[in-house]
Amino acid sequence: DAGITQSPRHKVTETGTPVTLRCHQTENHRYMYWYRQDPGHGLRLIHYSYGVKDTDKGEVSDGYSVSRSKTEDFLLTLESATSSQTSVYFCAIGRRDRGQETQYFGPGTRLLVL
Amino acid sequence: QKEVEQDPGPLSVPEGAIVSLNCTYSNSAFQYFMWYRQYSRKGPELLMYTYSSGNKEDGRFTAQVDKSSKYISLFIRDSQPSDSATYLCAMSGNTGNQFYFGTGTSLTVIP
């Protein structure tokens, strides 16, 4: 257990509304990630962070923004939600285990955009 | 071409069978290799990780990496119904910061 929580766990929203998902970690890890998981596509990286206020884009960043004002929190915002953003969103932290980089995932947020 | 290819299955085996799960990749810079297990409606759980080529064993699980063929495998011995899940392979390069995932193989072990 890497001490990762995500909130909310489930959300239903309407097209065009803003949505913010929160990821919280308790172990002070530098790297944090946001992924989305869709059938047939697997896990796709949206954005990641390598420190407070340091973020970068991933493979599918269009329509998403992130912020990290504290080490423990990484926020994902959908500025104007679209139906194509209906997905399961996972947060992950990067951790070095015995010299190897690994990632540990949170429980996920299921988002439905109507 | 995707960075990582994984047969989605589904794979269905009887209890006690040996299961072989595989991924191929195209980027020769990948050095770190991981297998995740994901139960339905849960987050991926790190199962095993290996660095570079070779084998690693952990209980009923064995991970193999063949860098010359760009091919990795996960073997499950004496499979159990509790092994029923989706298995994801993942890999990364020297920086280790960006991971590339397979789409997952769905496994069902029938009692």
Side-chain angles (χ1 to χ4, degrees):
Chain A
D1 183 2
I4 306 167
T5 57
Q6 292 185 234
S7 59
R9 294 293 314 279
H10 303 270
K11 186 166 183 67
V12 180
T13 191
E14 293 186 348
T15 298
T17 59
V19 176
T20 295
L21 309 182
R22 179 181 183 241
C23 178
H24 179 79
Q25 59 146 329
T26 59
E27 296 185 352
N28 211 35
H29 295 288
R30 181 181 170 199
Y31 285 89
M32 298 184 75
Y33 306 81
W34 275 108
Y35 291 89
R36 60 178 290 175
Q37 187 176 40
D38 305 286
H41 291 279
L43 284 161
R44 292 182 291 174
L45 182 64
I46 305 172
H47 282 278
Y48 68 99
S49 169
Y50 45 96
V52 172
K53 292 186 171 37
D54 292 322
T55 65
D56 207 349
K57 296 179 179 180
E59 177 188 357
V60 291
S61 59
D62 287 348
Y64 301 95
S65 63
V66 290
S67 66
R68 192 163 178 206
S69 58
K70 298 186 290 184
T71 299
E72 58 266 35
D73 288 326
F74 192 30
L75 304 181
L76 177 70
T77 297
L78 291 64
E79 301 289 348
S80 178
T82 67
S83 58
S84 64
Q85 293 176 311
T86 291
S87 186
V88 182
Y89 291 86
F90 288 103
C91 173
I93 58 98
R95 196 168 89 179
R96 201 163 183 86
D97 286 339
R98 286 175 240 175
Q100 174 152 344
E101 297 290 341
T102 56
Q103 290 188 5
Y104 291 82
F105 286 82
T109 294
R110 293 185 170 270
L111 177 67
L112 174 61
V113 183
L114 299 174
Chain B
Q1 184 186 7
K2 286 186 179 179
E3 298 267 14
V4 181
E5 298 278 0
Q6 184 175 10
D7 187 337
L11 191 58
S12 184
V13 301
E15 184 174 353
I18 296 174
V19 176
S20 172
L21 304 167
N22 311 293
C23 288
T24 60
Y25 62 96
S26 56
N27 190 340
S28 57
F30 289 150
Q31 300 266 20
Y32 302 98
F33 304 92
M34 289 134 288
W35 285 96
Y36 287 83
R37 178 175 61 196
Q38 186 175 22
Y39 291 114
S40 180
R41 304 181 77 85
K42 300 288 187 184
E45 168 196 8
L46 181 63
L47 199 57
M48 295 186 72
Y49 57 86
T50 57
Y51 172 70
S52 196
S53 284
N55 292 1
K56 184 175 182 180
E57 189 174 320
D58 184 2
R60 296 184 295 109
F61 299 89
T62 299
Q64 274 187 0
V65 175
D66 182 349
K67 290 191 73 179
S68 62
S69 302
K70 297 191 181 70
Y71 189 87
I72 69 170
S73 301
L74 178 70
F75 297 96
I76 307 174
R77 290 183 299 282
D78 187 24
S79 55
Q80 303 295 308
S82 58
D83 296 327
S84 299
T86 296
Y87 290 80
L88 303 159
C89 63
M91 44 200 80
S92 66
N94 280 329
T95 59
N97 297 327
Q98 288 210 36
F99 281 34
Y100 297 86
F101 287 85
T103 52
T105 299
S106 175
L107 171 67
T108 301
V109 180
I110 302 167

